[in-house]
Amino acid sequence: MQAQSETAAKDAGIILEKVRELAADFAGERRERQQRRELVQADFDRLRDTGFLLTAVPVDHGGCWESFEQSNRAICEMLRALAHGDSSVSLVASMHPAVLQYTGWLTLPEAPDPYREAWDEQRRWAFQMAKDGRQWGTIMSEPGSGGDTSKTKATARPSGQDGGYLLDGEKHFGSGSGITSYVITVAVPDGEEEADLFFMDMQGVPWDGSTGVKLAAAWDGCGMTATQSHAMTFKDFPVTRSAWPGAIQKRPNAGGGGACMFAAIVVGIVETAIGTARQQLQRKRDSMLAYEQTEWARVEIEGWLIQQAYEGMLRAVEQASTGNRETRLGKAAVAELAESVMLRICKVVGGGSYSRHSPYGFWLEDVRALGFLRPPWGLAFDQIFQGSLDASE
Ligand SMILES: Cc1cc2nc3c(=O)[nH]c(=O)nc-3n(C[C@H](O)[C@H](O)[C@H](O)COP(=O)(O)OP(=O)(O)OC[C@H]3O[C@@H](n4cnc5c(N)ncnc54)[C@H](O)[C@@H]3O)c2cc1C
């Protein structure tokens, strides 16, 4: 067991090094990348070649995932590194491990009878797909749901094939559309009350409605501009149900991994922005006005707080403490501070930061994504408020 754990840690360390090298290449193309509005397959081929997709495959299935407690930091560090080079690629990449955690396939190794065998088989298959280089993604969000998957209006009715259903509904924010091979979603199964988890094979599927998927709106984000987080309409589209119905309610760390991964991306963006600005400010160091000096001092303070919040989130997961509450608090804190830091940097750097030739305006919009990512602002604050009163009982 000990030997297996060391190998996994070593493998994750090797992947991290390769991801860092890839991110450095991406950083060299920053100006062109920040102008992109589309994903480039070659980036994801290179990411796959680093071994990144194995972060969502358990050690005993040939990957480097050990457990939520042991593997979360390594995955987050890879995403943080990737964000030093390209925000959109990092966000799309994060969905792969986040999704395989969300389904419960990584964190719930055994299902109770009568789902045991089918669950085992489905997990094996999902991990094999990741090992074969197939990237996973998610299109759970629905207009009007406010990020709350229990409010889904999408429906799924049995197709007559084993585990097969036909999906109807409007979905949006499908990051990585066109790059991801398999995508998860939520829908209310026919005759049931609660939403459950489904996944679909999107490989080679046209988006013209001819086979049940229609591009409703191409992604036009102000930030994370090249994530292809498209909106799609599904009509009788074949999907497969989770082999353990209701497993998503049973996950021990619902959402904590996603919160850490999304925060890690923004931490990566912020530290790159601070580093870039610090270098740029050397030139006007002696002519900085009092306001600029004060704002820059605040950048330092808030940048430090962001690092503490991020570290606190990772440690809460590692110590298997009240992980969900702490990761929720940390994500909200990083989201607020990151927006604040980026605004201050823009003011100190000066009017040039408002130009599309400068990286800061792009980073400012990119970090704004964190507050909207699951759980989005309203839902996050609701949960924090409720959790606070529960904690005082
Ligand atoms: C960059 C980025 C990437 C994301 N990637 C993913 C992803 O890969 N997968 C995923 O599942 N989610 C993804 N999300 C979505 C995220 O997880 C939240 O679900 C989403 O941001 C919630 O948005 P909201 O709170 O505004 O609520 P929503 O209710 O989802 O509203 C979002 C938008 O829909 C409009 N709207 C509201 N009500 C209606 C209605 N009744 N009819 C029509 N339109 C309406 C709103 O005006 C608003 O513009 C991503 C978000 C961002 C910002």
Side-chain angles (χ1 to χ4, degrees):
M1 199 64 189
Q2 172 73 16
Q4 197 180 50
S5 185
E6 276 170 19
T7 311
K10 204 168 111 218
D11 289 350
I14 293 168
I15 297 170
L16 177 58
E17 275 318 304
K18 290 183 181 169
V19 168
R20 283 192 175 130
E21 285 167 24
L22 184 61
D25 283 356
F26 289 172
E29 304 160 349
R30 175 160 298 132
R31 186 170 294 188
E32 182 269 317
R33 284 179 173 273
Q34 286 192 320
Q35 305 280 347
R36 284 187 190 173
R37 302 210 65 95
E38 287 175 351
L39 293 165
V40 173
Q41 181 63 51
D43 289 348
F44 293 90
D45 294 344
R46 292 182 69 188
L47 182 64
R48 178 202 58 211
D49 293 345
T50 65
F52 177 78
L53 300 185
L54 297 177
T55 56
V57 177
V59 172
D60 56 0
H61 288 256
C64 63
W65 164 273
E66 292 182 273
S67 69
F68 185 47
E69 291 79 8
Q70 288 167 286
S71 306
N72 186 53
R73 182 183 289 266
I75 298 172
C76 290
E77 286 298 280
M78 290 175 204
L79 295 167
R80 174 184 176 185
L82 207 47
H84 294 158
D86 190 314
S87 312
S88 289
V89 171
S90 185
L91 182 57
V92 170
S94 73
M95 299 299 170
H96 175 80
V99 157
L100 287 161
Q101 277 182 33
Y102 190 90
T103 55
W105 289 330
L106 282 168
T107 50
L108 296 170
E110 275 188 30
D113 286 329
Y115 310 117
R116 193 181 301 270
E117 259 179 56
W119 180 250
D120 195 46
E121 198 182 315
Q122 197 170 71
R123 291 178 72 237
R124 267 176 206 289
W125 171 82
F127 300 145
Q128 187 58 49
M129 290 306 103
K131 280 198 288 183
D132 289 350
R134 310 299 211 293
Q135 191 166 326
W136 285 78
T138 161
I139 188 159
M140 292 199 290
S141 298
E142 271 179 50
S145 68
D148 184 347
T149 49
S150 69
K151 295 208 174 117
T152 183
K153 290 194 175 66
T155 57
R157 61 189 165 81
S159 65
Q161 285 177 341
D162 193 23
Y165 282 73
L166 296 171
L167 175 74
D168 280 334
E170 298 289 335
K171 297 277 177 181
H172 62 179
F173 290 114
S175 296
S177 294
I179 295 289
T180 46
S181 300
Y182 296 99
V183 175
I184 63 163
T185 196
V186 284
V188 181
D190 218 20
E192 298 182 31
E193 297 285 312
E194 284 188 17
D196 202 8
L197 191 96
F198 297 83
F199 62 89
M200 50 191 121
D201 182 351
M202 293 299 282
Q203 296 170 97
V205 173
W207 297 344
D208 58 2
S210 59
T211 58
V213 181
K214 196 165 190 326
L215 179 67
W219 176 243
D220 65 349
C222 292
M224 295 292 181
T225 55
T227 50
Q228 293 186 188
S229 307
H230 301 330
M232 304 277 189
T233 304
F234 294 92
K235 181 80 191 117
D236 290 340
F237 187 63
V239 291
T240 304
R241 189 170 182 176
S242 165
W244 177 3
I248 46 170
Q249 316 300 339
K250 312 231 167 2
R251 291 161 305 137
N253 46 56
C260 290
M261 292 179 212
F262 299 151
I265 298 164
V266 166
V267 170
I269 297 170
V270 167
E271 58 200 3
T272 307
I274 294 178
T276 309
R278 190 180 283 121
Q279 226 172 354
Q280 197 173 328
L281 290 174
Q282 296 297 342
R283 275 182 273 135
K284 69 170 198 177
R285 185 185 183 136
D286 298 330
S287 61
M288 279 172 75
L289 303 175
Y291 174 74
E292 293 163 341
Q293 292 180 18
T294 309
E295 283 298 280
W296 184 254
R298 285 181 171 144
V299 166
E300 291 285 4
I301 293 165
E302 291 179 347
W304 183 83
L305 284 173
I306 287 172
Q307 296 290 342
Q308 306 316 305
Y310 173 60
E311 181 57 33
M313 293 170 83
L314 298 184
R315 225 177 305 128
V317 169
E318 283 165 346
Q319 293 168 357
S321 54
T322 50
N324 275 339
R325 179 162 167 74
E326 284 168 77
T327 52
R328 207 173 279 148
L329 290 168
K331 175 185 173 286
V334 173
E336 286 196 335
L337 289 165
E339 290 186 9
S340 173
V341 162
M342 285 311 309
L343 279 172
R344 292 187 201 284
I345 290 177
C346 290
K347 289 175 193 163
V348 180
V349 167
S353 68
Y354 205 61
S355 150
R356 289 177 66 83
H357 292 290
S358 155
Y360 303 103
F362 293 95
W363 283 324
L364 168 60
E365 291 297 341
D366 289 343
V367 302
R368 285 182 58 223
L370 182 59
F372 297 116
L373 284 158
R374 207 172 304 278
W377 290 114
L379 195 56
F381 274 73
D382 210 37
Q383 290 170 344
I384 288 168
F385 177 71
Q386 295 302 337
S388 164
L389 296 190
D390 291 349
S392 65
E393 276 175 9

